Amino acid sequence: MNIRDIARLANVTPGTVSKVLNNYPDISEATRQHVLQIIEENQYDPGTNSRAAKSAGAAQIGLVVEGVYNALYNSLEEMLSIHLHNSGYTILSFHDNYYIQDKQEKFQELTAYADRHKLCGLVYIGGNFECVAPQQMELLSCPTIFVNTVLPLHTEHTSYSSVQVNHFETAYAQMGYLIGKGHQEICTLISSLIDNSVYGLRVKGYRAALSEHHLEHNFDNILESDYRYAKAYSALTKHLQKHPETTAVCCVADIIAPAVIKAIHDSGKLPGKDIEIISFDGIEIMNYCIPTVTTFEQPQKELVEHTYHLLLGLINKEREHQHITFQTRLIKNESC
């Protein structure tokens, strides 16, 4: 018996059973007690299930995250690990090196890793494999899902799946939101000009919005941060000294927003008043900044649940490969 059997008997999703097993707070007490009763009646032991899967020789799932300084990806990794562990799988998880490596070489390393560890499934979060040819993608020896990864444009009848967020469109909306409020002098904090991950897609969205509104002079106000507080703080502080006319800052990711707030404050201006701030990702810390940060939120739970169920379906040959794009949600807070 496994977690899916318990879910079927309890008439809930496997994700709900996983949340009960891990004491997630967003489950009603009635549902929690109902699932626990089914578990007790059927003498279900997640540990026993895991050992059985290992003995069957098909227990290992690879969970790869590209980059280190990404709170959102770390959260997705944690939630996926919990779900997969409670379904009886061993998770082989690591953080891959960043975007500077040749993508063909990186993909070859990925396929070799899957073969070497005899993975029965693989989830890759982040990165860019748009230059990898379809015949190379077919070398993946196990069901693979790419999450928030830049991939080839042709996605029909592929040998892999993808779960994405509409990064370009959201970034366009970010910049459009500021422009719609009347801002003409906008500074944009990005990761790097050579970043070709989904964060690079966001930069293209910013440029498109600025161009459409004839605000191309703001291209010179795009600053690199490498997702590091110190670099973001230093770059924005120098920019505000040189360009006191700046009225808004657009952040490529929430992780750098605290540094942006401090840079504005230390420059003698009021964050959210003299200079408005908008960001992207919707990580929890945005609600605990002063001011709280307006951001476009990625639906983390939906991303994880869909990835989890799709991967298990692919492993069990119950699902076909698919490509899905989730929409973000604007969270209006005090910064904008």
Side-chain angles (χ1 to χ4, degrees):
M1 175 168 286
N2 58 39
I3 196 170
R4 293 184 296 281
D5 296 322
I6 295 296
R8 186 180 66 256
L9 291 170
N11 196 29
V12 298
T13 66
T16 297
V17 178
S18 178
K19 289 180 178 181
V20 170
L21 290 170
N22 289 279
N23 295 316
Y24 271 55
D26 57 339
I27 299 293
S28 71
E29 189 58 29
T31 299
R32 187 185 308 279
Q33 293 303 320
H34 174 61
V35 171
L36 289 174
Q37 181 179 351
I38 297 295
I39 289 173
E40 182 178 359
E41 289 175 354
N42 291 273
Q43 298 182 332
Y44 171 66
D45 180 1
T48 300
N49 183 57
S50 178
R51 290 189 292 274
K54 290 178 182 178
S55 65
Q60 298 188 139
I61 289 180
L63 181 50
V64 185
V65 181
E66 181 160 324
V68 177
Y69 305 105
N70 195 315
L72 180 96
Y73 287 178
N74 292 343
S75 178
L76 297 179
E77 177 187 18
E78 179 183 14
M79 288 190 287
L80 269 172
S81 295
I82 290 171
H83 283 331
L84 293 170
H85 172 77
N86 287 323
S87 290
Y89 293 97
T90 297
I91 300 100
L92 300 184
S93 179
F94 70 90
H95 286 244
D96 195 8
N97 55 4
Y98 200 29
Y99 50 76
I100 55 175
Q101 185 185 7
D102 176 81
K103 303 305 173 184
Q104 296 281 353
E105 178 186 30
K106 178 174 286 190
F107 188 79
Q108 291 171 4
E109 291 178 356
L110 185 64
T111 55
Y113 178 83
D115 292 342
R116 183 168 64 252
H117 293 281
K118 296 181 172 58
L119 300 179
C120 64
L122 175 65
V123 177
Y124 195 100
I125 303 175
N128 180 314
F129 291 117
E130 65 180 334
C131 65
V132 178
Q135 57 268 30
Q136 287 181 282
M137 286 290 194
E138 293 176 1
L139 296 177
L140 289 164
S141 57
C142 62
T144 300
I145 302 177
F146 294 98
V147 180
N148 279 345
T149 306
V150 181
L151 295 165
L153 292 177
H154 303 291
T155 58
E156 293 184 4
H157 311 298
T158 60
S159 56
Y160 58 90
S161 293
S162 66
V163 179
Q164 313 282 0
V165 166
N166 58 333
H167 295 276
F168 177 91
E169 293 81 3
T170 296
Y172 184 93
Q174 258 186 289
M175 190 63 71
Y177 189 79
L178 292 176
I179 295 171
K181 295 196 69 179
H183 293 288
Q184 301 286 305
E185 304 299 327
I186 303 169
C187 176
T188 305
L189 266 291
I190 67 170
S191 54
S192 168
L193 290 170
I194 62 171
D195 188 343
N196 60 4
S197 69
V198 293
Y199 297 92
L201 289 180
R202 296 180 187 185
V203 176
K204 292 179 180 179
Y206 300 147
R207 289 179 177 272
L210 289 169
S211 295
E212 182 171 316
H213 293 86
H214 308 293
L215 295 173
E216 291 92 341
H217 68 278
N218 285 294
F219 288 177
D220 294 333
N221 302 331
I222 296 176
L223 312 178
E224 296 178 289
S225 71
D226 293 337
Y227 307 117
R228 298 180 184 272
Y229 297 127
K231 185 169 183 178
Y233 174 85
S234 175
L236 183 56
T237 298
K238 293 176 182 177
H239 179 83
L240 294 178
Q241 290 172 350
K242 187 176 180 180
H243 297 281
E245 70 277 10
T246 300
T247 62
V249 177
C250 182
C251 298
V252 74
D254 288 348
I255 188 65
I256 57 174
V260 167
I261 292 172
K262 181 169 174 56
I264 294 172
H265 177 272
D266 291 355
S267 297
K269 297 192 176 184
L270 292 175
K273 299 294 184 182
D274 299 323
I275 300 179
E276 293 196 305
I277 306 163
I278 195 167
S279 192
F280 192 146
D281 280 338
I283 64 176
E284 186 179 13
I285 195 175
M286 295 300 95
N287 295 318
Y288 297 93
C289 294
I290 301 176
T292 55
V293 178
T294 294
T295 183
F296 280 84
E297 179 184 52
Q298 294 198 45
Q300 293 187 46
K301 291 183 179 179
E302 289 86 347
L303 286 169
V304 169
E305 293 288 338
H306 190 87
T307 300
Y308 166 72
H309 291 300
L310 176 58
L311 183 62
L312 265 59
L314 291 168
I315 291 172
N316 295 321
K317 302 186 184 305
E318 299 169 349
R319 302 279 293 273
E320 299 292 331
H321 283 294
Q322 62 177 268
H323 302 274
I324 184 168
T325 300
F326 285 92
Q327 306 299 306
T328 56
R329 182 168 65 100
L330 176 61
I331 306 296
K332 294 183 180 181
N333 279 319
E334 299 164 343
S335 72
C336 188

